[in-house]
Amino acid sequence: MLPWKRLLRPLAAVLLTAAVAVVPAAGAAQAATAPTSGWNDWSCKPSAAHPRPVVLVHGTFANSTDNWLALAPYLEDRDYCVFSFDYGQLPGVPLFYGLGPIDKSAEQLRTFVDKVLAATGTTETDLVGHSQGGLMPRYYLKFLGGAAKVNALVGIAPDNHGTTLSGLTDLLPYFPGIKDLLTTNTPALADQVVGSPFLTKLNAGGDTVPGVKYTVLATKYDEVVTPYQSQFLSGSGVHNVLLQDLCPLDLSEHVAIGLFDRIAFHEVANALDPAHATPTTCASALS
């Protein structure tokens, strides 16, 4: 269970916007037998309206189920083929992912995207990632040939230019038990620290690659990736969004913006289908 102090902002956001995607309590209990709750349907074929499958990329300490219990159904309801996967597992650390070297995790993303494209019969996908999940795909795009297979990358609170180790460890209270399990080095944490060799290589020569559309969704209440402006990208094809510019009542912080913030989800939908985008406001929480 999340610490009370960290619940205050997300709960305030729920009260002020009068909307939150509520996950049935039974959903968590069913996770072991139905870990995707309906998504990862390998028979799904993209529609003419939404011709590209969407691959969801979870964040540090998270996994392919818990991170997407709200956003995956949100996109499914809008007729997208939605897929998610686990990456970056360390030996001896079950359930918690996104901990291994980020360049190796990007290789796992490459393999998964190829699997999705083959199953859906498509040539391009769209990627949506939360936290590290918005950062890691940029390595795939820049160094592993991903730009030829990806139309758009949507980063939800991504640490594109790094954060502090203390910021990353602020995530620990959200995942009871993980601190005791992490008895070995966690390469992904080191890779995400400001000024790391990984980030230096990734951001050298520019933040973006040609041909890919980038959207970054940030909240000014982010307590993990600070300052929040460091999440934003520079370059062509970039759309940086601060949620409070769209809805001043949105008080979501780093975790809430990816887990259940339907205002953020509305912007994700706009980024995936810009031709049919509609204005995002506080009322989008009810959409």
Side-chain angles (χ1 to χ4, degrees):
M1 181 173 255
L2 301 183
W4 284 108
K5 287 184 179 179
R6 296 191 180 280
L7 272 175
L8 291 178
R9 279 182 179 152
L11 287 177
V14 172
L15 294 173
L16 287 169
T17 61
V20 60
V22 178
V23 179
Q30 295 170 352
T33 55
T36 55
S37 301
W39 67 97
N40 275 356
D41 176 2
W42 294 97
S43 66
C44 187
K45 300 299 180 184
S47 64
H50 298 140
R52 293 176 299 276
V54 177
V55 173
L56 304 178
V57 190
H58 65 73
T60 307
F61 303 131
N63 60 58
S64 61
T65 302
D66 295 345
N67 212 144
W68 307 120
L69 287 172
L71 181 57
Y74 180 95
L75 294 175
E76 278 191 294
D77 289 346
R78 285 153 181 79
D79 198 30
Y80 286 93
C81 291
V82 182
F83 300 87
S84 65
F85 74 114
D86 293 317
Y87 69 87
Q89 185 178 24
L90 290 180
V93 183
L95 303 179
F96 303 101
Y97 297 86
L99 302 175
I102 297 182
D103 57 348
K104 300 302 180 184
S105 293
E107 294 175 4
Q108 294 175 304
L109 173 61
R110 176 179 60 185
T111 299
F112 189 77
V113 167
D114 287 346
K115 180 180 177 182
V116 168
L117 294 180
T120 56
T122 54
T123 59
E124 278 191 320
T125 186
D126 290 322
L127 306 178
V128 179
H130 180 210
S131 194
Q132 183 193 156
L135 164 71
M136 178 268 278
R138 292 181 49 224
Y139 191 94
Y140 164 60
L141 297 176
K142 196 168 188 177
F143 299 111
L144 300 178
K149 301 176 182 179
V150 174
N151 168 70
L153 169 62
V154 183
I156 305 173
D159 49 346
N160 281 315
H161 297 99
T163 184
T164 63
L165 187 57
S166 61
L168 289 165
T169 55
D170 278 345
L171 285 170
L172 290 173
Y174 289 100
F175 304 96
I178 186 61
K179 188 173 184 179
D180 294 335
L181 288 171
L182 295 179
T183 56
T184 58
N185 186 35
T186 52
L189 298 187
D191 284 346
Q192 293 174 81
V193 172
V194 173
S196 71
F198 172 82
L199 287 172
T200 299
K201 176 181 178 180
L202 177 63
N203 292 320
D207 293 345
T208 64
V209 296
V212 179
K213 304 176 184 70
Y214 296 82
T215 298
V216 175
L217 308 180
T219 169
K220 69 180 182 180
Y221 299 113
D222 198 312
E223 81 285 24
V224 175
V225 185
T226 58
Y228 69 82
Q229 294 93 338
S230 68
Q231 301 174 30
F232 294 147
L233 295 171
S234 299
S236 60
V238 172
H239 181 47
N240 293 315
V241 179
L242 180 65
L243 289 190
Q244 286 73 32
D245 288 342
L246 307 176
C247 175
L249 298 177
D250 192 323
L251 303 182
S252 291
E253 40 64 77
H254 184 81
V255 173
I257 188 179
L259 261 57
F260 58 70
D261 188 330
R262 292 176 72 93
I263 295 170
F265 294 177
H266 189 269
E267 274 298 286
V268 170
N270 280 347
L272 296 177
D273 188 7
H276 299 95
T278 58
T280 300
T281 66
C282 293
S284 301
L286 302 173
S287 64

